[in-house]
Amino acid sequence: MPSPSPPLEDPLTHRAILSLAVPIMISNVSTPLIGVVDTAVVGHIPDPAYIGAAAIGAVIFSCVFWGFGFLRMGTTGLTAQALGARDTAEVATTLGRALLVALAAGVTLIVLQWPIRESAFAAVHASGRVEGLARGYFDIRIWAAPATLANYALLGWFIGLGRTDIGLILQLILNLTNMALDILFVLGFGWNVRGVALGTLMAEVCAAAIGIAIAVRHMHRMGGHSSLRRMLASALLKRTLAVNGDIMIRSLALISAFLWFASQGARQGDVILAANSILLQFISVAAFFLDGLAFATEALVGRAIGASRRVGLAVAVKMTTMWAAGTALAASAVFLLFGPWLIDLLTVDLAARATARAYLPWAAGAPLLGVWAYQLDGIFIGATHTADMRNAMLASLAIFLLAWWLLRPLGNHGLWAAFYVHYLARTATLVRYYPKLVRAVPG
């Protein structure tokens, strides 16, 4: 196996940036295929309740697990900094500590499954049949929680090492295993949505086991070692928990803004809701690619800071931002040129098509405005300046809500304008903290 990352003395090249970013882009694009396959598999059962149940179950777990995204982001920054400092023991310990947190959080979710389940279904207004099937899905998939969260930690660790290729392999193992088991359990054994849940459970466990085995081998090749005593060292554990706590609050504030956007669109009627949902899919696709550059930024910035190289930080920020800006420009151009055709591909409803076309310019311009927020997130995660990220996102959420209130008379155009204000606020609030981040790195 190759060395975990290029030597720090090597000049950063565009090829090196793409070698980090492209595997993440491919991995991100492969992930939505799970939902497509799940829908197609249960769609072969002659009862639409099964599709609804699988969709509701997937959404519930997306919300439950989304709040634990800090296990990916926090692990990336801490690992990259330890690598930059050439502290192989801390590189190994960072993963061990993250896996301990993942195990504790996963077991807690299993223990609390009853209140989580009842709260979730109290918020979902589904028919009795759909809810009954979705409950069966929940009761099986909840047992995947420790493995799912461990996979977050493993992905963050490999990204921090600059080994996004291994991260891609693990994601492909997870996704392809999930698809294959879904087909086997549902179409082969006739286990309906329970088969989908069991397939996901087994795929998560399989990916986690393989990921841990690869990580252990990687540590041995690096010469890194750790111990439970070092993992639980109070100062380092406190830092890990502080970083993760800040990112969790930041993530909850971010998802609150998106949920508010969705809910306000729904209040304007089914047609507006459908149109906004279609256009948000465009933004999600752009995010698949922009995330690849943001993740590369996390790894390179963290490595430069761990090595106490302010010049390396500046070069990493400049070069990754150039690629991110170019990617955002390309995404916006594609949406403008092919947006009407893509809208028609996603819906056959004539009213939804016409409405989505009317608001298409908002979605097309979003990557150009949002790319700066994505990049700054990557910089601050790599630097583990997570308290600043937390404060900036809370301020951005408040600014977004104020903008929405002021722009309400403009209807859905006002809602999209407030969405733009949120992007601008995220960028401006983080830019305010950026000089402090740079000053903290020795010149």
Side-chain angles (χ1 to χ4, degrees), residues 61 64-72 75 95 98-110 142-156 204-205 208:
F61 281 101
V64 169
F65 292 140
W66 203 86
F68 293 91
F70 62 80
L71 282 167
R72 204 288 300 160
T75 304
L95 176 60
L99 290 175
L100 283 178
V101 173
L103 177 62
V107 170
T108 300
L109 289 175
I110 291 174
I142 189 65
W143 292 92
T148 300
L149 300 185
N151 283 323
Y152 288 2
L154 286 162
L155 179 60
E204 293 279 8
V205 171

Side-chain angles (χ1 to χ4, degrees), residues 1 77 111 127 135 150 154 177 214 231 250 344 366 378 389-390 394 405 423 427 432:
M1 183 178 292
V111 171
S127 68
R135 283 176 176 269
L154 286 162
T177 302
I214 294 174
M231 291 181 198
R250 173 259 179 199
D344 291 349
M389 290 184 69
R390 176 199 64 204
L394 290 173
W405 185 79
Y423 274 138
T427 300
R432 174 175 174 267

Side-chain angles (χ1 to χ4, degrees), residues 49 125-132:
H125 303 289
S127 68
R129 176 160 173 71
V130 169
E131 181 174 324

Side-chain angles (χ1 to χ4, degrees), residues 75 79 123 129 164 231 314 321 348 357 360 364 379 424:
T75 304
T79 301
R129 176 160 173 71
T164 55
M231 291 181 198
T321 301
V348 296
R357 282 187 173 88
L360 176 60
I379 294 166
L424 291 171

